[in-house]
Amino acid sequence: MKRKIAKKITGLLICTSMLAGLTACGSQPAADTTPATDDTAPAAGEETAEIETEETAVVEANNDTGEDITLTIGVWADDESRRLEKAFEGIEDDLGIQIEFLKYPSDSDFWDNIPAQIAAGTAPDIISCTNEHYLQYIDQGLFEPLTEYVDSGVISLDGTWAKAMDAWQIDDIVYGIPYALNPGVFIVNNNMWEEFGLGDAYPTTWDEVIDICKKVKDEHDMAAWCVNIQEYHLTNIALSFGGGWDFGKNISAKENAEALQFLIDSYKEGYIVTPTELGLGGDMDVMIQQSALFSTGGAWYQGGFAAEAPDIELKYLPIPKGGSGTGGGTCHSAALVALKNSQHPDEVAKAISYVAEGSKLYEAVVDVTEVIPASEAYFDYYKEKVPALTKLVDYLDNTTPFSYPTQSKKFADSLINLMQETMFDESSTITGQDIVDQLSGEYGAE
């Protein structure tokens, strides 16, 4: 008789409200390549959602050493659980490996508990995470390298979109097998665009965006561009100017300074509105209530608008070009990661291979979360199933991993605080170059 994949939640932690967002735009589920974010964070999240039950759990893996092999997979997002459960169906019949899913209350519980659980031998064997605030855990040696299994052919990367590995192969060591992708995009409320009579040509550069912002401000007395002052959005702008953080090696680059200065100047000219000043949780909230015409975001907007504002048509455009840059922004990449000290490392590799080389995982990524699969063989499947977001596949080639410094969360917090202090203080004389120089001194890598 076929046994069902089990879910297990043990231990007790009292909490009344936990983060449920990625590091990304304030509305993206980490499952969609969050912490996600929000990432996806998501990432650490910018928008919070309450968990209905007052009692949630910190999970502990059994990691038994009996004859039957049971592997545990740590997740915290519901959508992520559903797509991975579908992906691992049949593994017990095919490989004799049982799977238990260990559900964490939130992304913060997930990351806060894992180091102690590894030390105590109670951590999951496998986790799913995105490529945002992960480098500090690699630096601490908490992720088990998978290079030997890739080199020996136990895990095949055939068909994996090559650039997805840029985030997961560091110094020639493979730390994760990517399975989902989510490129950053520039999102336009097309209803407002047409109502304002802005024409047939959508902006391809930030200068063109500002020209439209000037027109909207003059004619409609509103700021057209929503910028959520969070690391996800700031990183998209930096990359579009030709900058980026390069794991801490490139923080003080003039391109990063130009990008931040562009945002500071645009805000002070009245072209930008932030969720903070409107008392809203994230950029998608601003866009849903039509308090802005533009924002940076991702595929998660599609589901949010379908639920909250189904009559609004959105256009998903590439991140515009800035300065001497070529445009293009970030790429979330969700991956399966083996944690240190698993009692069954070979079975972990076989389990990851089982889903990475099959079809169920990639189909579930599309069917459950409408996110691009990391296997190029399923790009057409995505286009067929999610026609409204077909263009996102074309935008992938001009995207870049987040590449935050090792102290990614502290870096993100400092970046956010410095930008908010500079933008919201009319008397501030701090420049974009001042900000990146300070960040480089605190978080830069040689």
Side-chain angles (χ1 to χ4, degrees), residues 286-422:
V286 175
M287 294 286 283
I288 284 174
Q289 74 169 29
Q290 302 195 80
S291 293
L293 177 64
F294 308 124
S295 183
T296 45
W300 54 91
Y301 265 59
Q302 191 71 5
F305 271 77
E308 301 292 335
D311 295 333
I312 295 178
E313 178 191 5
L314 300 177
K315 287 287 185 181
Y316 297 89
L317 307 176
I319 300 291
K321 302 174 185 178
S324 59
T326 59
T330 60
C331 187
H332 280 99
S333 173
L336 293 172
V337 171
L339 288 187
K340 182 181 178 181
N341 293 342
S342 169
Q343 297 176 8
H344 310 292
D346 291 343
E347 285 75 15
V348 166
K350 291 176 182 177
I352 292 175
S353 174
Y354 180 81
V355 293
E357 296 182 30
S359 62
K360 293 178 182 177
L361 176 59
Y362 305 113
E363 290 174 356
V365 165
V366 177
D367 296 341
V368 176
T369 51
E370 295 190 340
V371 172
I372 302 172
S375 172
E376 292 187 74
Y378 293 88
F379 283 2
D380 286 342
Y381 181 83
Y382 176 80
K383 292 178 179 180
E384 175 188 347
K385 294 288 186 177
V386 195
L389 301 178
T390 294
K391 286 290 187 181
L392 269 63
V393 176
D394 300 331
Y395 302 159
L396 282 173
D397 285 337
N398 202 27
T399 60
T400 304
F402 293 92
S403 303
Y404 294 127
T406 300
Q407 293 178 284
S408 57
K409 187 59 172 65
K410 290 182 178 180
F411 167 80
D413 289 343
S414 296
L415 172 62
I416 292 166
N417 290 336
L418 287 168
M419 284 296 289
Q420 288 179 334
E421 290 171 7
T422 303

Side-chain angles (χ1 to χ4, degrees), residues 158-175:
D158 290 347
T160 301
W161 183 58
K163 285 188 68 175
M165 291 307 301
D166 290 348
W168 297 103
Q169 185 166 316
I170 299 173
D171 296 331
D172 296 323
I173 300 174
V174 177
Y175 288 102

Side-chain angles (χ1 to χ4, degrees), residues 125-238:
D125 298 282
I126 301 169
I127 61 170
S128 173
C129 69
T130 66
N131 60 318
E132 292 176 281
H133 300 297
Y134 69 143
L135 191 60
Q136 63 197 70
Y137 300 96
I138 292 175
D139 188 62
Q140 294 169 23
L142 304 184
F143 290 6
E144 190 69 27
L146 296 170
T147 312
E148 65 174 285
Y149 296 105
V150 172
D151 291 345
S152 66
V154 172
I155 298 175
S156 174
L157 298 179
D158 290 347
T160 301
W161 183 58
K163 285 188 68 175
M165 291 307 301
D166 290 348
W168 297 103
Q169 185 166 316
I170 299 173
D171 296 331
D172 296 323
I173 300 174
V174 177
Y175 288 102
I177 306 301
Y179 66 88
L181 308 167
N182 207 332
V185 289
F186 187 62
I187 298 173
V188 179
N189 180 323
N190 207 48
N191 296 51
M192 294 177 69
W193 179 275
E194 293 182 350
E195 179 186 344
F196 292 171
L198 297 174
D200 298 326
Y202 295 96
T204 61
T205 70
W206 287 117
D207 286 341
E208 292 173 356
V209 170
I210 294 303
D211 287 341
I212 296 167
C213 288
K214 292 177 182 177
K215 179 179 175 65
V216 171
K217 183 182 179 184
D218 290 342
E219 297 181 3
H220 303 279
D221 192 28
M222 69 176 290
W225 182 14
C226 173
V227 177
N228 201 345
I229 311 302
Q230 298 292 333
E231 68 269 26
Y232 169 82
H233 304 276
L234 300 177
T235 300
N236 272 285
I237 309 303

Side-chain angles (χ1 to χ4, degrees), residues 261-285:
Q261 190 63 51
F262 173 75
L263 288 172
I264 294 166
D265 293 342
S266 298
Y267 180 79
K268 292 187 174 181
E269 289 292 333
Y271 304 141
I272 289 175
V273 64
T274 70
T276 300
E277 62 198 282
L278 296 178
L280 296 173
D283 47 283
M284 191 162 70
D285 300 318

